């Protein structure tokens, strides 16, 4: 972990083929390397990752659904540090959100059951890593402890009807004021996932 900033520098140098002659990697020619080097982003969930991204002049993707830390404060810290070091450049932020949208609140909550059971199985390190169907999740008997864990999961998710999703996205946007938002929807059926994205797209223009 301590060498992570150094590894980022190495990655950038590999992509741009600009290691100094004395560097141990100078004679290494990685393949494939695209003709146009990709823009390197840093995905993070902490003050440390925000600081590294800003110090290195990188765009920052913050995983809102992967942490219970104060995301807006972390993003603000990134912007301020970036501005201080690179006053002539603009910081750029993507915030990633876990969202499930359906025509009704009840339907969205039912779809979310699949993700809850999937995540609980992941936490228990069970071999069954597939996302279960809604029916399987509804038949599963959740313990009191598991219900408590689900309540915690809901704190990092947006679940509901289009109107509810719009209101929650507005609240997030007021908090983050991000340049972009990346939505991830984890459900069992592909059709339900696509429908969720379509419904979110319809209300996103109102944010």
């Amino acid at each position: 972990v301590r060498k992570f900033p150094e590894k980022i520098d190495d990655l950038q140098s590999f992509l741009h083929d600009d290691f100094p002659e004395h560097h141990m990697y100078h004679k290494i020619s990685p393949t494939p390397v695209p003709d146009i080097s990709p823009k390197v982003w840093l995905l993070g969930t902490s003050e440390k990752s925000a600081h590294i991204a800003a110090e290195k002049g990188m765009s920052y993707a913050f995983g809102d659904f992967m942490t219970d830390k104060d995301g807006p404060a972390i993003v603000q810290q990134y912007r301020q540090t970036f501005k201080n070091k690179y006053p002539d450049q603009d910081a750029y932020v993507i915030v990633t959100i876990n969202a499930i949208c359906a025509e009704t609140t009840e339907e969205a909550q039912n779809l979310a059951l699949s993700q809850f059971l999937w995540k609980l199985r992941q936490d228990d390190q069970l071999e069954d890593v597939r996302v279960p169907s809604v029916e399987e999740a509804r038949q599963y008997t959740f313990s009191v402890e598991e219900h408590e864990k689900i309540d915690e999961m809901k704190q990092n998710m947006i679940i509901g009807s289009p109107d509810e999703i719009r209101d929650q996205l507005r609240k997030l946007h007021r908090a983050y004021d991000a340049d972009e938002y990346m939505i991830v929807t984890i459900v069992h059926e592909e059709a339900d996932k696509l429908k969720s994205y379509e419904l979110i797209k319809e209300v996103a223009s109102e944010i």
Side-chain angles (χ1 to χ4, degrees):
V1 175
R2 292 193 300 272
K3 293 185 177 181
F4 185 60
E6 179 183 329
K7 297 299 183 182
I8 293 175
D9 293 337
D10 289 345
L11 174 60
Q12 298 274 29
S13 292
F14 273 125
L15 291 172
H16 295 92
D17 191 24
D18 61 1
F19 280 110
E21 291 187 10
H22 65 275
H23 197 281
M24 62 184 296
Y25 296 147
H26 174 65
K27 295 183 178 181
I28 296 178
S29 300
T31 57
V33 174
D35 294 333
I36 300 176
S37 297
K39 183 176 182 180
V40 180
W41 288 65
L42 184 60
L43 169 64
T45 58
S46 66
E47 294 86 350
K48 184 175 181 179
S49 61
H51 180 77
I52 292 173
E55 284 290 321
K56 295 188 177 298
M58 301 171 68
S59 296
Y60 186 52
F62 180 78
D64 175 82
F65 69 96
M66 297 186 289
T67 181
D68 57 1
K69 293 185 178 181
D70 188 346
I74 292 172
V75 167
Q76 179 58 32
Q77 171 201 320
Y78 159 75
R79 286 197 175 104
Q80 189 59 53
T81 304
F82 190 104
K83 182 179 180 181
N84 291 340
K85 185 154 187 178
Y86 304 96
D88 297 329
Q89 299 181 37
D90 293 324
Y92 200 92
V93 176
I94 286 180
V95 172
T96 56
I97 302 167
N98 187 350
I100 297 177
C101 186
E103 295 288 357
T104 67
T105 303
E106 182 180 5
E107 184 181 356
Q109 294 287 354
N110 281 333
L111 291 176
L113 288 174
S114 294
Q115 182 176 157
F116 296 149
L117 181 54
W118 171 71
K119 187 64 170 66
L120 289 170
R121 286 172 171 171
Q122 280 192 324
D123 291 346
D124 290 337
Q125 298 182 335
L126 300 180
E127 293 183 2
D128 188 354
V129 296
R130 62 190 173 83
V131 178
S133 68
V134 172
E135 187 60 30
E136 180 181 350
R138 292 181 67 178
Q139 292 178 0
Y140 180 84
T141 301
F142 294 96
S143 67
V144 173
E145 181 182 358
E146 287 173 331
H147 275 295
E148 292 175 352
K149 289 182 178 180
I150 289 173
D151 288 339
E152 292 177 1
M153 293 181 206
K154 289 180 179 180
Q155 299 303 310
N156 291 332
M157 297 177 66
I158 297 177
I159 306 169
S161 66
D163 287 343
E164 291 168 325
I165 294 294
R166 181 191 59 235
D167 292 344
Q168 292 181 71
L169 285 176
R170 282 177 174 169
K171 181 179 179 180
L172 277 172
H173 185 54
R174 286 195 296 269
Y176 279 108
D177 192 26
D179 300 286
E180 294 183 40
Y181 295 92
M182 183 183 298
I183 305 293
V184 58
T185 297
I186 302 173
V187 293
H188 179 265
E189 294 291 339
E190 182 178 0
D192 292 328
K193 178 182 293 189
L194 293 176
K195 183 63 175 179
S196 177
Y197 286 143
E198 290 170 355
L199 293 173
I200 292 174
K201 179 183 178 181
E202 290 175 5
V203 299
S205 60
E206 304 174 30
I207 305 305

